[in-house]
Amino acid sequence: MKKSVLVLGLIVLFLTSCGEKKKEEVKTEEAPKVETVKEAPVVVDNLELGKKLFAEKTCTTCHQADAKVIGPSIKDINKVYADQNADIVKFLKGEAEAIVDTDPGQVAIMKANLDGFVKDLSGDELAAIAAYMRSVK
Ligand code: HEC
């Protein structure tokens, strides 16, 4: 009689400890899945948003993909920024000097935009604009 109680006790202990383990496993499996789902679409959205802002915020008036209009072309800007490993967002935030066209008259034209309306754009919006510019090849 005593023996069978002991055996029953052991079986119960075994079953409950197994159940707990299963729960833990499920938890750790779920966590990384959520992250990958979150990240993937953001890149595409960024480019779309950046393209939209670049047109809406009149950047296109002075910056064409290939040709210099008033400001340097997007491709010329990309080339200098890639060569010098510089950050377009920093420039747009007014935290870095002009490196593409350093003619004071030209810098003043762009500076007027930065002080005028670019300062009202959020960090996310500036990052989207920079991502779009870099995507112009
Ligand atoms: C009225 C014309 C004009 C508009 C509008 C304009 N830019 Fe510019 N931009 C310029 C000129 C001129 C330069 C060259 C001077 C310079 O490099 O800072 C320039 C330079 C730049 C540069 C290179 C800066 C460097 O390091 O030399 C970036 C990046 C840039 N513009 C981004 C933008 C973005 C993004 C917008 C829209 C939010 C915009 N520009 C709107 C005229 C303009």
Side-chain angles (χ1 to χ4, degrees):
M1 186 61 181
K2 262 191 190 167
K3 242 189 197 171
S4 61
V5 171
L6 203 90
V7 170
L8 203 79
L10 280 175
I11 291 173
V12 170
L13 212 106
F14 180 69
L15 287 178
T16 48
S17 64
C18 253
E20 272 169 24
K21 249 188 210 162
K22 259 189 198 160
K23 263 188 222 155
E24 271 174 29
E25 271 169 26
V26 172
K27 259 190 211 161
T28 46
E29 257 176 31
E30 271 174 18
K33 259 189 217 159
V34 179
E35 263 179 42
T36 43
V37 171
K38 252 192 209 167
E39 271 175 28
V42 171
V43 178
V44 179
D45 286 350
N46 253 354
L47 289 184
E48 285 302 309
L49 176 68
K51 189 177 181 180
K52 197 173 133 232
L53 288 170
F54 201 80
E56 274 177 7
K57 301 296 173 186
T58 72
C59 315
T60 41
T61 318
C62 300
H63 298 290
Q64 301 283 305
D66 266 312
K68 178 176 172 164
V69 188
I70 297 168
S73 73
I74 300 175
K75 286 184 184 175
D76 284 343
I77 293 173
N78 283 343
K79 194 179 175 310
V80 175
Y81 271 76
D83 282 351
Q84 302 201 19
N85 200 14
D87 184 353
I88 290 178
V89 174
K90 259 194 173 172
F91 170 77
L92 295 176
K93 281 185 178 168
E95 292 168 3
E97 297 290 317
I99 53 173
V100 179
D101 187 341
T102 51
D103 177 90
Q106 289 288 88
V107 171
I109 295 174
M110 186 57 210
K111 185 92 173 31
N113 294 307
L114 298 184
D115 296 343
F117 62 90
V118 177
K119 68 170 167 38
D120 296 329
L121 298 174
S122 73
D124 282 350
E125 286 173 321
L126 294 180
I129 289 176
Y132 164 67
M133 289 181 79
R134 280 193 301 268
S135 78
V136 176
K137 297 240 155 76

